[in-house]
Amino acid sequence: MSMPALFNPNTSSGQTGYILIITNKKTLTEVKKTSPQIKAVYSQTLQDVIGRVDSAFAFMKQRGYGFPRFKKFGQFKSLLFPQMSNDAIKGNQIKLPKIGLVTINLHRPIPEGFRLKTAIIVRKASGWYVMLALQIDVLFPDVPPHGQAIGIDVGLEYFLSTSDGEQVKRPRFFNDLHRKLELLQRRLRNKKKGSAIRRRLNQKIAIVHEKIANCRRDFHLKLAHKLCDRSGMIFVEDLDFRVMAKGMLGKHTLDAALGQFVNQVLPWVCWKRDVYYGKVNASGTSQECPDCGAYVKKDLSVRLHECHECGSVKPRDIASGQVIVKRGLSAVGQTVEQIACGGEGTGAAMPSYHPKTQELLKVISGSQLCTR
């Protein structure tokens, strides 16, 4: 068993301070015998930190680049407690290993039948939060294709355009608070590192960034529920938004958070609302005519689809959404005619919650959910 290495990075400046390098989880046991500071921290929390470093190096080897960036002082913002007992929450307090009882703002009690598994302590600009992971033995079946289908084309001119003709303007979350951020960061530029004034300014900047993120996520969730209200199937393009974020429009792409909406928020809301969610091949969706299938070449500056074969004229993004829904229905074995004529899998009624989902959400929320 190899012992950890110790080295002093501050010997040249006359300061004393040592960095402890722990190579693996087994070494951690030996270090705790000689270091009271390490012993004071919960063992599984320390093991999780080592696991994060190991995962970062493994990911670097897998993709071939990107050396892990170690957290500076004050930048490590989460602690994991992977094994929590069911009686850890007592009233408005939670008992954390090696820490004890901590007062929390418990929004609702743990529902009956759930088991408390893990707790993550997260530090944000607005305060400290506890994220609880609960477990219950419930099997949810996959959502089958059903109901009205819509295709969604996302972009920057319009945040999204649907196959049934709706277009949603892209909100500019960052631009609304850009001036305030600019003033705060200009004041921060000449402040001495490590000073109290610099810390306070960093806190104010972090609060503004958190407000932007909260507004963006709220918009995503409300829009996803609105889409699920009128559809039973939602199809989107299978895109790599990291490529879009590296272009000259990267700032606007990241501000809109298209990847967060398409890959995280929308699938989660579709699962909760029992709406079928599917991805289709994104190749050529903007170059294909949705009415006759002809190839209509156009560059990004052309915002109107005009087919030279069938004479179809419509906005480019709406035409792309109609191509997406045709590809999605083809993938699940249905056609637009079957949906329109009331064939198998049809029904324009609003999607209802699956009985097991409804029962689970009723227990969690403590209130009766209405079914459509």
Side-chain angles (χ1 to χ4, degrees):
M1 179 182 296
S2 59
M3 288 301 293
L6 287 170
F7 68 92
N8 188 356
N10 299 318
T11 51
S12 59
S13 60
Q15 300 178 359
T16 59
Y18 289 90
I19 295 178
L20 185 65
I21 300 178
I22 303 176
T23 56
N24 53 57
K25 295 181 180 180
K26 290 183 179 179
T27 308
L28 186 62
T29 306
E30 298 297 327
V31 174
K32 293 180 70 174
K33 296 178 181 178
T34 58
S35 175
Q37 291 85 0
I38 298 294
K39 189 175 182 180
V41 184
Y42 186 50
S43 59
Q44 290 185 336
T45 301
L46 293 174
Q47 291 171 4
D48 175 66
V49 175
I50 299 173
R52 294 187 199 183
V53 177
D54 183 67
S55 299
F57 276 102
F59 185 55
M60 179 193 68
K61 293 179 181 179
Q62 178 184 352
R63 63 181 181 178
Y65 64 92
F67 193 84
R69 293 178 294 177
F70 292 93
K71 298 292 185 183
K72 298 178 183 178
F73 175 79
Q75 290 186 344
F76 200 86
K77 298 182 179 179
S78 65
L79 297 173
L80 173 66
F81 296 91
Q83 290 182 333
M84 299 289 293
S85 61
N86 277 334
D87 56 350
I89 295 181
K90 301 176 180 178
N92 63 338
Q93 292 182 319
I94 183 171
K95 186 177 182 181
L96 300 175
K98 289 281 188 176
I99 296 177
L101 291 174
V102 178
T103 302
I104 60 174
N105 180 16
L106 188 64
H107 296 96
R108 55 180 180 263
I110 303 298
E112 186 179 353
F114 285 80
R115 296 189 299 274
L116 182 60
K117 299 297 290 183
T118 64
I120 303 177
I121 311 299
V122 180
R123 186 186 67 180
K124 295 185 179 181
S126 56
W128 292 85
Y129 296 84
V130 113
M131 299 170 57
L132 303 177
L134 309 178
Q135 180 182 6
I136 188 172
D137 297 328
V138 176
L139 180 62
F140 288 95
D142 294 333
V143 180
H146 68 285
Q148 185 69 26
I150 60 172
I152 296 176
D153 179 75
V154 295
L156 293 180
E157 182 183 10
Y158 290 96
F159 182 80
L160 62 80
S161 302
T162 64
S163 57
D164 54 6
E166 182 183 5
Q167 292 186 298
V168 179
K169 274 288 186 181
R170 175 174 64 91
R172 288 162 170 79
F173 306 101
F174 188 80
N175 287 359
D176 294 340
L177 293 170
H178 179 75
R179 180 61 179 166
K180 186 173 183 179
L181 277 176
E182 186 180 20
L183 292 173
L184 289 172
Q185 289 172 339
R186 187 181 300 165
R187 290 168 55 192
L188 180 71
R189 181 177 55 187
N190 297 323
K191 296 297 183 288
K192 183 179 178 181
K193 290 186 178 181
S195 63
I197 297 179
R198 187 180 179 90
R199 280 198 303 272
R200 286 196 293 269
L201 281 174
N202 276 323
Q203 179 71 9
K204 291 181 180 179
I205 292 172
I207 289 175
V208 175
H209 278 294
E210 185 177 346
K211 182 178 179 181
I212 294 172
N214 289 340
C215 292
R216 182 185 297 120
R217 190 166 183 84
D218 180 69
F219 168 77
H220 287 172
L221 285 167
K222 289 179 179 177
L223 181 58
H225 278 285
K226 181 181 176 182
L227 293 171
C228 290
D229 281 341
R230 67 172 195 264
S231 61
M233 292 182 283
I234 293 179
F235 298 102
V236 298
E237 293 176 293
D238 189 5
L239 291 172
D240 187 357
F241 294 99
R242 295 174 297 180
V243 177
M244 297 175 60
K246 293 178 181 178
M248 64 178 183
L249 298 176
K251 177 181 177 180
H252 302 287
T253 303
L254 294 173
D255 182 30
L258 299 174
Q260 174 180 281
F261 177 76
V262 171
N263 297 324
Q264 297 180 15
V265 176
L266 187 57
W268 156 248
V269 175
C270 286
W271 174 84
K272 192 169 70 169
R273 296 290 302 274
D274 265 359
V275 175
Y276 182 84
Y277 172 84
K279 289 186 175 183
V280 303
N281 183 13
S283 176
T285 54
S286 61
Q287 312 296 325
E288 180 182 333
C289 178
D291 297 324
C292 66
Y295 180 77
V296 183
K297 185 176 181 180
K298 45 187 175 290
D299 57 29
L300 196 59
S301 62
V302 179
R303 307 312 303 170
L304 189 67
H305 168 77
E306 296 179 285
C307 181
H308 55 272
E309 295 288 342
C310 64
S312 174
V313 179
K314 59 187 69 177
R316 172 194 180 123
D317 295 336
I318 292 178
S320 297
Q322 293 174 355
V323 173
I324 292 169
V325 75
K326 286 181 66 176
R327 292 185 181 182
L329 290 173
S330 177
V332 299
Q334 299 184 29
T335 64
V336 179
E337 290 76 14
Q338 282 180 321
I339 296 296
C341 297
E344 184 181 356
T346 188
M350 302 303 180
S352 63
Y353 289 93
H354 188 275
K356 287 187 177 179
T357 309
Q358 166 140 349
E359 182 181 354
L360 178 61
L361 294 176
K362 188 193 304 181
V363 171
I364 295 176
S365 63
S367 59
Q368 181 72 29
L369 294 174
C370 62
T371 56
R372 298 179 175 88

